[in-house]
Amino acid sequence: MVAYRAGEPDAAVDYVQESEDLQPHEQGKMLNSAILALAYHDLGQPGLSYQSWGNARDRIRRFVNPRTGFPLAYDTQIAGILTREARSKLM
């Protein structure tokens, strides 16, 4: 995330790929997908951005309380914010 916010989307993609190689837990994958959606958009790759956005959205849904609609974990809230940001760029 730091690389993306520093204006280095290509480095952000590299860091996410390194993270995925370490096989993170589901919440880590959720955050990775959200970051990839943003980074791919900035790299001019809308197809990969949209695919990553969809992956993040689907993972977030697994961590939302079905009765209240609220996230079950702090990481889910962060991924939700990033996913909404990515969606706004894609639309």
Side-chain angles (χ1 to χ4, degrees):
M1 188 71 217
V2 173
Y4 173 75
R5 292 293 187 212
E8 300 177 17
D10 51 344
V13 170
D14 291 341
Y15 287 127
V16 167
Q17 289 171 344
E18 287 179 30
S19 172
E20 289 294 319
D21 289 344
L22 297 173
Q23 300 177 348
H25 54 79
E26 191 63 22
Q27 289 168 311
K29 290 180 180 183
M30 174 179 49
L31 287 166
N32 284 346
S33 294
I35 293 167
L36 283 176
L38 292 165
Y40 282 138
H41 176 271
D42 286 5
L43 291 170
Q45 298 180 28
L48 289 173
S49 179
Y50 187 78
Q51 179 183 359
S52 299
W53 172 79
N55 289 340
R57 181 200 59 214
D58 293 344
R59 286 186 167 113
I60 288 169
R61 288 179 178 162
R62 295 182 209 148
F63 288 92
V64 172
N65 183 319
R67 288 185 304 154
T68 65
F70 291 114
L72 297 173
Y74 181 69
D75 289 345
T76 308
Q77 292 174 333
I78 294 170
I81 291 166
L82 296 174
T83 302
R84 285 190 297 276
E85 181 181 347
R87 183 182 62 205
S88 72
K89 290 182 175 223
L90 288 168
M91 301 303 166

